[in-house]
Structures are given as structure tokens and as C-alpha cells.
């Protein structure tokens, strides 16, 4: 026990001593971690320095993010982790939430029943991190959890982005309905949070301490489970003790694809991320792209690849334990068929691909982290509460937020319409079913050696953010720093509009005119994604960790 506490204190001190200046880019040789949060990345780095594997580091970082980035870092949500070894072996971990046993396909038809507690899926994060750690960890479980306990107990200094985000959360959350949220995340004196203020979370520390001591059973059974069930009963939610006991994380065969001689290892269903990414890249690969990254032809062809892959996403993808997903979606042959009807001089109309279907917008909160260790083990981890701060329901007395991941199911069976709803069968609600995700943790290899670790938040935009970064690096030779900073765009099939980052219009104003001339509807977004990524130079072995600075971020390495 003493050993554990000392190690935790050392890991905690490591980031405290690092003091303040968040690093956007780090170059190093042994190992690196990059995430949205400075203290979390430093805790991940400390795990690497202690001799931990990339999975130890990712798990330590993820638990730390549950403390330092409450908008998306979580215990009460779910996600996916892809790990690839230096030998080309890889595993994918699925800790997506599931619908409770009492869920039904029509439970959200009546708008009055779409309450925060009913939107909560059975959380997967803690089981998933435990499973990945059991199979790839070198440090003791308690050692990787304990730094987060310390961080919650003694508090950490909020950065400007976090302070602003918490103020916005409190301003927009009803004080009576979300009383526990206000108690836990409100400033003790009642004022607004400022950068540098300390957020102390004693109840979260106790929950994390139970997880450190008992493993995932410290969450899914005993005191924490009792508190979750009591919270559900207070808000007429559906999750029971039996749902929590029955939850299991899954190791899945990662999805593999290739792009212009590079190998991709990414997440299979129930995320749509990997399938849609590989399908779109396969289509793009059938074209010789121009040298100018921003030529209208390049952007147009990418949009058309996105459009077709997202059409199949909407049509076919769901939890593979419940629906059969056609294997051809990721085949090169199928991509050639799809590419054959792309007109290089004209935008396809989405309804010409299959009727009048549109997709609902999603809010931009989730978080991604990338890690590489000294042995060359790479981890790409994306996890989420779905909306920013999830359902905003904090489990009374346990200090953590619950997800609102049930949002990711199709809510109205059979109703697919131009307002953005999809009611196709593959993603309707069923007891114990996983809701479809777009998260896309991805590792790119060359000759079986990892060269890029990437992923992003951003709901449906996630897959297209990853697609832009993969193409930036492979097609246009950008460094990881350049690729993470470069403008991104997103076409989701429906709504039939391409959404470009504002910086792209500012840098290339004529591109918008040219796209419109080809028949694309162009809309603008302030920013897309938050893709903390790592590249490894296959020749020199040099590691470059690049934080995405669209929100905040910190790269740490040694
Ligand atoms: O699983 C998904 O695809 C979504 N629930 C992720 C939500 C998200 O990324 C929100 N925005 N960043």
C-alpha cells in the first residue's frame, strides 16, 4: 500500500513540478503521451517513465482526464482503445455503453420521456480500461489509478478553457434539476471560475480509490453501484444493479485496411469509425490526387468519398452483436464500384445515392489521447460522455457524471427524414445493445511499424477529421504538427452540405467559390475536432507528439 501511495505521489508531483506551460509539440526518443490536459498527459508520462507500457500510460491518462477534463474525461461513459505492437499484432477494446435491460425501441418516441436519466447508457469505461490493462499492463492496477485519486483529492489548477467551460455548464444547467452538478462543479464561494482556481473533488477521489483498491468491481458493484442505482431511481432512469453487474467490455479483432501502401489498424463496429474511414480512403485511393493539397479537385474528390462512405454508415452500421454488417464495405473492389460514379466536375446530390435521409447534428465533446512507449507499443484511445458533460447528471455522493449516450441510437423506428433523423433497423434501441458510435481511434503503420497514432472527438465529424489527417500525412507529406493544425472538412452524406473549417475559407477564399461552382453547398464551422496525435519517423525512430490546440492540449515525452 505504501509503495502504491509513494508511486502515486511521485507521479502526481511529476506534473505539478512540470508547472504550467502546456507544450503543443514534443520531440523525443523513448515515449510520449498527448491529450487535451496537461496534468493528465504528465501523469501518463510518469507511468511510462516508471516502466509502464503504453496501455498503463493510456489508462493512467484516462483516469486523470476523468478528474481534469470533466466535459469528456469520464468514469460514467464509454469508448474504444486500439493498441498495436511493434510486431504488427494489435487488439481493439470496446467499452461502449449498452442500453439497459428495460430499454425499448420506442422509449424516446414521446419527447416528454427524453429525460436526462433515461438517456444514460450502462457505463463501460472502467471495465474497458481494466480489460486493456489486464492484457497489456506492466504496472499494478492500483499504481495507474492512484495518481487520479490524488489529483481529485488535492485538486488541480483549472486552465482558462476548463474554467470557461465549467462557467458555461453552470450557467446553462438548471439549479434545481441539476443540483448535484452545481454542488460538485460550482465554485465553493458561488462566483465564476477563473484560470488558476483549484477544483477539488473529494467524492470523486473516494470513487476512484474504490476502483484503485477493488478494480472495476469498485465501480460496478458495492458502494459505487449502489449510488448509481439510487441516482437512477431518483430520476426515473432505467439502469439497475443487474445492468451494472452484467456489463462486459469486449476485446475485438481490430479492423485493418490499407491506404497507398500504409496499413491502418482501427476500430470495428459498434463504432462506425473504422469501417467508414477505410471505405472512404479506399474510394480516395482510386484517384491520383493533385500535388496541391487544397486544389478544388482534391477537396471535391474527398467530399465525394466521404459522402458515399457515410451513406453506407447510415444504412448498415450498428452493434455487430445484433446486426449483420456486409463485409464488402471495406473491400477495394467495392470502393472501385463506388468511385466509378464520382463525377470530377460535379457534386453528386446525396438523395441520388439513396433517397431522402438526413443525419442529426452532434455536439463537439469527447476526447482523444495517443501514447507510444519505449518498446514501440502504440495506443489510440477515444472516450466520451456523448454531449459535453454527458447527461449533466452527477451521481449523488460519488462525484462523477453520467453519459447521455442513448442519444446515439436512432430514436424513431422507421422514421428517416430530412430533419436529420435515422430510423433504420441497424441502430434501433434494444436491451443490452451498443449504440452506434463514430469514434475512430486509429494507428497507421508502414511495414508493420507504427508511424502515426491519431483520433478525435467531434461526433460524426470524427471520421472525416481522421481521414483528413491520414491524407494530409500520406498524400501530402505533412508533418504531424502540420496535419494536426491543417484545416479540415466534413461531409456526412446528409445534410447534403460540406462543412469546412473557417480557417480554410480564410486561407483559400476562392476554394469555396470553386466548390459551389461544382454544385456543393458549403457551410462553415469555427473548428472541427481535437486530434492529439503522435508520429514516429520510421528511419530515425524520432517521436513527435503534437497536441491539437483547437481546445487546449499538452504533449509530454522523454
Ligand atoms: O460515439 C460517438 O460517436 C459520439 N457519442 C461521440 C460524441 C462526440 O464526439 C461529441 N463531440 N465531440
Amino acid at each position: 500500500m505504501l509503495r502504491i501511495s509513494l508511486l502515486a505521489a511521485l507521479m502526481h508531483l511529476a506534473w505539478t513540478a512540470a508547472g504550467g506551460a502546456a507544450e503543443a509539440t514534443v520531440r523525443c526518443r523513448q515515449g510520449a503521451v498527448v491529450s487535451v490536459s496537461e496534468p493528465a498527459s504528465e501523469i501518463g508520462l510518469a507511468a511510462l517513465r516508471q516502466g509502464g507500457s503504453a496501455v498503463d500510460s493510456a489508462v493512467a491518462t484516462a483516469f486523470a482526464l476523468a478528474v481534469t477534463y470533466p466535459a469528456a474525461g469520464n468514469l460514467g461513459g464509454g469508448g474504444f482503445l486500439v493498441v498495436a505492437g511493434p510486431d504488427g499484432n494489435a487488439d481493439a477494446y470496446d467499452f461502449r455503453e449498452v442500453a439497459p435491460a428495460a430499454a425499448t425501441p420506442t422509449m424516446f418516441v414521446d419527447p416528454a420521456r427524453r429525460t436526462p436519466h433515461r438517456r444514460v447508457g450502462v457505463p463501460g469505461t472502467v471495465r474497458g480500461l481494466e480489460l486493456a490493462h489486464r492484457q497489456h499492463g506492466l504496472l499494478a492496477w492500483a499504481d495507474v489509478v492512484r495518481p487520479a485519486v490524488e489529483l481529485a483529492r488535492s485538486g488541480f489548477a483549472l486552465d482558462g478553457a476548463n474554467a470557461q467551460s465549467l462557467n458555461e455548464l453552470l450557467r446553462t444547467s438548471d439549479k434545481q434539476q441539476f443540483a448535484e452538478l452545481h454542488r460538485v462543479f460550482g465554485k465553493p464561494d458561488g462566483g465564476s471560475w477563473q484560470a488558476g482556481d483549484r477544483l477539488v473533488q473529494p467524492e470523486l477521489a473516494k470513487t476512484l480509490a474504490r476502483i484503485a483498491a477493488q478494480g472495476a468491481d469498485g465501480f460496478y458493484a458495492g458502494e459505487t453501484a449502489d449510488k448509481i442505482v439510487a441516482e437512477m431511481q431518483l430520476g426515473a432512469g432505467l439502469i439497475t444493479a443487474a445492468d451494472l453487474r452484467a456489463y462486459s467490455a469486449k476485446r475485438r479483432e481490430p479492423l485493418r485496411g490499407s491506404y497507398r501502401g500504409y496499413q491502418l489498424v482501427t476500430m470495428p463496429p459498434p463504432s462506425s469509425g473504422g469501417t467508414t474511414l477505410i471505405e472512404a480512403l479506399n474510394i480516395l485511393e482510386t484517384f491520383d490526387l493533385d500535388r496541391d493539397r487544397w486544389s478544388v479537385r482534391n477537396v471535391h474528390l474527398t467530399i465525394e468519398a466521404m459522402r458515399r462512405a457515410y451513406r453506407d454508415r447510415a444504412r448498415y452500421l450498428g452493434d455487430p452483436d445484433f446486426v449483420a454488417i456486409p463485409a464488402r464495405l471495406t473491400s477495394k473492389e467495392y470502393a472501385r464500384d463506388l468511385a466509378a460514379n464520382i463525377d470530377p466536375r460535379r457534386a453528386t446530390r446525396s438523395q441520388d445515392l439513396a433517397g431522402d435521409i438526413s443525419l442529426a447534428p452532434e455536439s463537439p465533446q469527447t476526447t482523444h489521447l495517443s501514447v507510444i512507449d519505449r518498446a514501440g507499443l502504440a495506443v489510440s484511445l477515444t472516450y466520451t460522455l456523448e454531449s459535453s458533460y454527458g447527461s449533466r447528471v452527477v451521481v449523488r455522493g460519488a462525484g462523477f457524471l453520467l453519459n447521455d449516450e442513448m442519444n446515439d441510437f436512432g430514436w424513431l423506428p422507421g422514421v428517416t427524414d430530412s430533419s436529420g433523423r435515422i430510423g433504420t433497423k441497424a441502430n434501433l434501441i434494444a436491451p443490452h445493445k451498443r449504440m452506434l458510435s463514430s469514434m475512430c481511434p486509429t494507428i497507421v503503420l508502414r511495414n508493420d511499424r507504427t508511424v502515426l497514432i491519431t483520433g478525435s472527438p467531434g461526433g460524426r465529424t470524427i471520421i472525416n477529421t481522421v481521414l483528413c489527417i491520414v491524407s494530409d500525412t500520406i498524400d501530402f507529406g505533412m508533418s504531424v504538427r502540420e496535419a494536426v493544425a491543417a484545416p479540415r472538412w466534413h461531409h456526412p452524406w446528409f445534410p447534403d452540405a460540406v462543412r469546412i473549417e473557417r480557417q480554410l475559407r480564410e486561407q483559400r477564399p476562392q476554394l469555396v467559390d470553386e466548390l459551389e461552382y461544382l454544385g456543393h453547398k458549403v457551410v462553415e464551422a469555427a473548428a472541427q475536432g481535437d486530434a492529439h496525435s503522435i508520429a514516429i519517423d520510421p528511419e530515425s525512430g524520432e517521436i513527435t507528439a503534437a497536441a491539437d490546440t483547437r481546445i487546449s492540449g499538452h504533449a509530454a515525452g522523454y
Side-chain angles (χ1 to χ4, degrees):
M1 194 64 180
L2 180 65
R3 192 177 68 82
I4 289 165
S5 298
L6 268 177
L7 177 55
L10 277 175
M11 287 160 92
H12 181 71
L13 270 177
W15 74 260
T16 312
E23 289 290 346
T25 313
V26 158
R27 290 197 174 76
C28 53
R29 302 211 69 91
Q30 309 228 49
V33 186
V34 59
S35 81
V36 70
S37 157
E38 182 181 356
S41 296
E42 290 294 337
I43 280 173
L45 175 62
L48 291 180
R49 284 185 189 275
Q50 303 287 341
S53 70
V55 170
D56 288 310
S57 170
V59 172
T61 307
F63 277 116
L65 284 169
V67 179
T68 62
Y69 193 61
N74 69 80
L75 304 180
F80 303 105
L81 183 158
V82 176
V83 53
D87 47 5
N89 288 334
D91 287 319
Y93 293 95
D94 163 6
F95 45 101
R96 184 66 161 167
E97 299 92 328
V98 300
T104 69
T106 54
M107 63 180 278
F108 292 122
V109 171
D110 176 359
R113 311 197 72 201
R114 297 172 187 172
T115 59
H117 285 77
R118 284 167 60 84
R119 291 173 188 245
V120 182
V122 182
T125 294
V126 180
R127 261 303 165 226
L129 296 180
E130 182 188 61
L131 179 62
H133 175 267
R134 190 177 299 144
Q135 297 186 348
H136 291 278
L138 300 175
L139 300 179
W141 170 255
D143 288 353
V144 295
V145 185
R146 192 74 66 169
V149 179
E150 298 296 331
L151 200 53
R153 185 180 292 144
S154 42
F156 69 99
L158 293 171
D159 62 21
N162 238 334
Q164 200 182 3
S165 166
L166 282 174
N167 290 336
E168 187 59 15
L169 169 73
L170 296 165
R171 191 183 67 73
T172 56
S173 301
D174 181 85
K175 276 198 168 140
Q176 277 192 318
Q177 187 184 10
F178 297 104
E180 185 72 352
L181 178 98
H182 279 270
R183 191 181 70 75
V184 168
F185 291 112
K187 197 168 170 179
D189 70 3
S192 297
W193 291 107
Q194 311 288 332
D197 287 345
R198 286 187 92 70
L199 178 64
V200 182
Q201 301 171 79
E203 284 146 352
L204 178 59
K206 285 187 187 148
T207 301
L208 283 162
R210 287 193 288 277
I211 295 168
Q214 299 162 36
D217 287 347
F219 183 89
Y220 292 92
E223 188 176 340
T224 315
D226 291 347
K227 286 185 156 75
I228 296 172
V229 172
E231 182 61 49
M232 283 290 118
Q233 286 165 356
L234 281 167
L238 301 186
I239 297 173
T240 62
D243 284 320
L244 292 169
R245 264 199 314 276
Y247 182 83
S248 76
K250 301 196 174 192
R251 193 201 78 79
R252 294 189 187 272
E253 210 38 55
L255 193 61
R256 291 178 186 265
S258 67
Y259 184 62
R260 302 192 204 274
Y262 288 78
Q263 304 146 273
L264 289 130
V265 179
T266 183
M267 197 64 215
S271 185
S272 62
T275 307
T276 311
L277 175 71
I278 290 175
E279 184 176 334
L281 285 171
N282 283 345
I283 296 171
L284 202 56
E285 195 183 49
T286 65
F287 298 97
D288 286 327
L289 297 180
D290 300 333
R291 289 170 66 103
D292 172 9
R293 199 306 164 236
W294 310 109
S295 80
V296 66
R297 178 173 170 275
N298 285 349
V299 177
H300 167 69
L301 292 174
T302 310
I303 293 169
E304 293 302 323
M306 291 171 173
R307 184 196 308 278
R308 284 158 177 77
Y310 272 70
R311 184 268 316 269
D312 285 345
R313 174 192 184 279
R315 179 181 284 164
Y316 297 114
L317 298 189
D319 183 343
D321 297 339
F322 286 72
V323 295
I325 297 171
R328 72 171 185 283
L329 298 184
T330 52
S331 80
K332 300 280 184 196
E333 194 183 2
Y334 178 61
R336 275 194 296 278
D337 289 348
L338 293 178
N341 74 6
I342 292 177
D343 182 341
R345 292 167 311 276
R346 199 78 216 136
T348 309
R349 293 184 334 149
S350 281
Q351 63 261 41
D352 291 346
L353 291 180
D356 187 19
I357 300 173
S358 74
L359 304 174
E362 295 186 31
S363 65
Q365 284 302 339
T366 289
T367 196
H368 175 79
L369 63 99
S370 301
V371 185
I372 181 96
D373 70 17
R374 203 160 46 181
L377 193 70
V379 170
S380 181
L381 187 162
T382 313
Y383 73 155
T384 188
L385 289 165
E386 157 58 1
S387 302
S388 191
Y389 302 97
S391 61
R392 302 191 179 197
V393 173
V394 175
V395 175
R396 258 157 263 209
F400 65 90
L401 283 151
L402 291 169
N403 68 82
D404 58 347
E405 215 76 58
M406 294 291 282
N407 291 356
D408 278 355
F409 280 117
W411 280 6
L412 303 179
V415 179
T416 359
D417 66 20
S418 57
S419 75
R421 292 179 286 214
I422 300 181
T424 49
K425 198 157 170 266
N427 191 34
L428 295 182
I429 303 172
H432 309 298
K433 187 175 175 182
R434 284 156 150 83
M435 56 294 285
L436 186 65
S437 173
S438 299
M439 290 187 278
C440 193
T442 296
I443 298 173
V444 180
L445 303 94
R446 180 87 175 172
N447 301 325
D448 285 339
R449 296 183 55 189
T450 296
V451 293
L452 179 69
I453 310 164
T454 191
S456 177
R460 268 178 209 132
T461 67
I462 290 171
I463 306 161
N464 287 331
T465 294
V466 174
L467 170 61
C468 287
I469 290 174
V470 169
S471 180
D472 286 335
T473 50
I474 294 180
D475 290 318
F476 303 101
M478 286 189 202
S479 69
V480 66
R481 173 76 270 146
E482 291 166 332
V484 164
R488 300 164 184 157
W489 63 96
H490 168 65
H491 195 296
W493 180 40
F494 279 109
D496 190 354
V498 58
R499 208 180 81 162
I500 63 167
E501 279 194 315
R502 183 172 305 145
Q503 57 159 328
L504 182 55
R505 181 183 53 74
E506 287 167 357
Q507 289 168 23
R508 304 271 161 166
Q510 79 289 358
L511 181 63
V512 175
D513 293 341
E514 291 168 346
L515 287 170
E516 286 175 344
Y517 180 77
L518 295 184
H520 293 286
K521 181 174 179 209
V522 182
V523 296
E524 195 172 292
Q528 176 178 316
D530 190 35
H532 306 291
S533 304
I534 293 176
I536 301 95
D537 184 326
E539 308 296 322
S540 67
E542 187 183 59
I543 298 166
T544 306
D548 193 329
T549 52
R550 283 168 176 77
I551 300 177
S552 58
H554 179 68
Y558 75 123

